[in-house]
Amino acid sequence: MMLKFGTVSSSLDLESHGRRAGTFDLVHSDNRHAFSSIQSPLSVIRGGDGPTALICAGNHGDEYEGQIIVRRLFEELDVSDVVGRLILAPALNMPAVLNKSRVSPLDGGNLNRSFPGEAFSGPTNDIAGFVRTQLMPQADVAIDLHSGGSATDYLDCAYFCVSPHKARNRQTQELAMVMGLANTFVVPLSDTTGDFDTAALEAGCAMLSCELGGEGKISRRALEAGWQGMLRVLSHKNIITDATAVRLGATSAPQTRYLDLGENACVITAQTHALVEPLVGMGTRVDKGQAVARLRDVHRLDAAPEELVATSGGVVSIRRTNPIVAPGDHLVVLCPELGKSELAARLDLEESKVSTP
Ligand SMILES: [Zn+2]
């Protein structure tokens, strides 16, 4: 059966037992692609009738840890390792991946703002619609692996998009605990318009996205943390066998720390054209009033440097990569830690249902 949405299609058989590598193909008729399709890898491993996981990366093209992890899953897993089914898509927005950029060079589309996707409304919209209509409905669990990309560095974290539905929050918290990344960012629903996460939750999937380092580089630390987390999630959800997870290096999940990326997060933003000297490192706890960056006029040596201070305390969780800034450029985000009762209130769950360090 052909999978198809707008200009995107795939002939890969996702149903039969076995291990198959194919593609989904985007038709985009410009000067370069007048007589081509743009192919992106899509693969399936089905070993049994257990649950299905959809594991994606390359939603943003300049984020690499996830792209490696998803490809490695296909390389290392055999049919006999899989109790259910794995659908693997390591380069969701292939035009952006090939261009080494966050968004698509074809239409400027940010795939993670293009869901649910409308057919024949441009290549990025069509990829979003293809994922939403052809892949998500087949999945019980969906994971979308991100990193900070060229522009930013992130603490390794699971991204917990809060849902108005208690049952979904319980499900996401379970995944975040099993994923066991050092941090889990708790993100309000209002910040997630058009993203993969919202579409997957609406399709009925248990859903988690992750940020694994950033700066357009590949971090060994983030790669290993993401790999271990994936193995734990897949065995916990009964998609691969526990023995397989152990064989491929899974250890037990470390406790994750919950950080508030909602309205209590402190975002430090430049108001001048400047060269930025960071005064705090990633992961540092910063107090209210503490200087976090020193800004210098790019053109004048005799202008006094300006120090930007934290207007509220938190952990340095996201930091800008490039130090040449303009008014409106965010430099750093400080996220306060969420204790057990605050987390329970945020997720609308009973305190006994949440676990914090
Ligand atoms: Zn991303």
Side-chain angles (χ1 to χ4, degrees), residues 9-67:
S9 62
S10 175
S11 58
L12 183 68
D13 166 15
L14 296 179
E15 298 300 325
S16 319
H17 283 218
R19 182 176 173 276
R20 294 175 292 281
T23 58
F24 68 84
D25 301 349
L26 164 70
V27 175
H28 179 71
S29 186
D30 59 9
N31 288 334
R32 166 64 186 85
H33 305 101
F35 200 50
S36 314
S37 63
I38 301 168
Q39 299 185 326
S40 179
L42 180 67
S43 65
V44 62
I45 310 174
R46 180 161 219 162
D49 297 325
T52 294
L54 169 65
I55 316 287
C56 298
N59 179 329
H60 292 132
D62 60 350
E63 303 173 4
Y64 300 107
E65 284 82 353
Q67 297 186 41

Side-chain angles (χ1 to χ4, degrees), residues 59-63 102 110 112 144-149 210-211:
N59 179 329
H60 292 132
D62 60 350
E63 303 173 4
R102 177 172 174 82
N110 180 343
N112 218 29
D144 191 26
L145 298 170
H146 289 250
S147 307
C210 302
E211 299 283 357

Side-chain angles (χ1 to χ4, degrees), residues 311-331:
T311 51
S312 59
V315 177
V316 179
S317 301
I318 308 171
R319 200 169 68 172
R320 172 178 215 84
T321 303
N322 194 284
I324 300 289
V325 297
D329 286 344
H330 303 312
L331 308 183

Side-chain angles (χ1 to χ4, degrees), residues 157-180:
C157 67
Y159 231 67
F160 189 141
C161 297
V162 176
S163 160
H165 306 291
K166 229 180 231 205
R168 284 183 185 168
N169 288 337
R170 198 173 294 134
Q171 213 169 41
T172 312
Q173 215 230 337
E174 179 193 319
L175 283 181
M177 280 168 55
V178 173
M179 188 81 196

